Amino acid sequence: MVEIKTIKIDGESIHVFKSAIYIFESSSGYTLELDIIVSELAVKKYKKIENLIIEIELADGRIINSIMHVKILSGGLPQLNLFCELDDIQEYEDFEKVNENDSWFPDIEEGITIEEIRKVEMPFEDISIKLKLPIDQVEWLKSQKKGALNEMFQAFISDYWKKQK
């Protein structure tokens, strides 16, 4: 199987946790498929873009430059499926070939967890919490800066998790 060294999307290097590149054969022709496990932030960044300029550096030194379509694969780990049509597959003879009738597809999720991905790139999200508190606590919370509140709640949750373990 062909091994990927680096991937750039629109000129920007991205962290790829696992990947598979292969030729997909269907009744309508051939496509070059690139399945990559990335961070949740990368999925969020690219999920609304239809076409991306992709540069793939293979372990053997070959470089593939292509405009590829994006498909987000839901469920499991955060991943992107990038693909483009191929007219001539001769230069890709050493690539794994998958037929539309095959039951086998590369499993790039094996051996990696969401926790490992989040150690490299942790997404942050806004959250609104409705609480019923005494007025003096409400007044105190309202007087705090957002950054201080974020730190306080992160520390509180981490301490609480440690106590539960």
Side-chain angles (χ1 to χ4, degrees), residues 21-86:
I21 190 166
Y22 55 95
I23 304 297
F24 184 76
E25 181 183 4
S26 69
S27 57
S28 59
Y30 296 97
T31 56
L32 176 64
E33 302 266 341
L34 174 63
D35 294 341
I36 53 177
I37 296 200
V38 294
S39 70
E40 293 155 296
L41 296 174
V43 168
K44 191 178 226 179
K45 181 176 182 176
Y46 299 116
K47 72 179 179 183
K48 293 184 179 169
I49 302 173
E50 288 183 31
N51 300 310
L52 297 168
I53 299 169
I54 306 297
E55 180 182 299
I56 305 163
E57 181 183 1
L58 302 177
D60 64 9
R62 289 182 287 174
I63 305 258
I64 299 170
N65 289 296
S66 182
I67 295 174
M68 299 183 97
H69 307 288
V70 182
K71 195 174 6 174
I72 305 298
L73 302 176
S74 58
L77 299 175
Q79 56 185 298
L80 300 173
N81 170 257
L82 304 163
F83 61 96
C84 64
E85 291 181 19
L86 293 175

Side-chain angles (χ1 to χ4, degrees), residues 9 12-18 36-47 72-73 76-80 112-124:
I9 298 179
E12 181 183 330
S13 291
I14 63 163
H15 189 92
V16 175
F17 295 90
K18 269 187 120 176
I36 53 177
I37 296 200
V38 294
S39 70
E40 293 155 296
L41 296 174
V43 168
K44 191 178 226 179
K45 181 176 182 176
Y46 299 116
K47 72 179 179 183
I72 305 298
L73 302 176
L77 299 175
Q79 56 185 298
L80 300 173
I112 189 159
T113 64
I114 192 70
E115 290 79 17
E116 291 171 305
I117 293 169
R118 288 178 177 169
K119 283 179 188 174
V120 174
E121 202 167 43
M122 175 64 82
F124 284 84

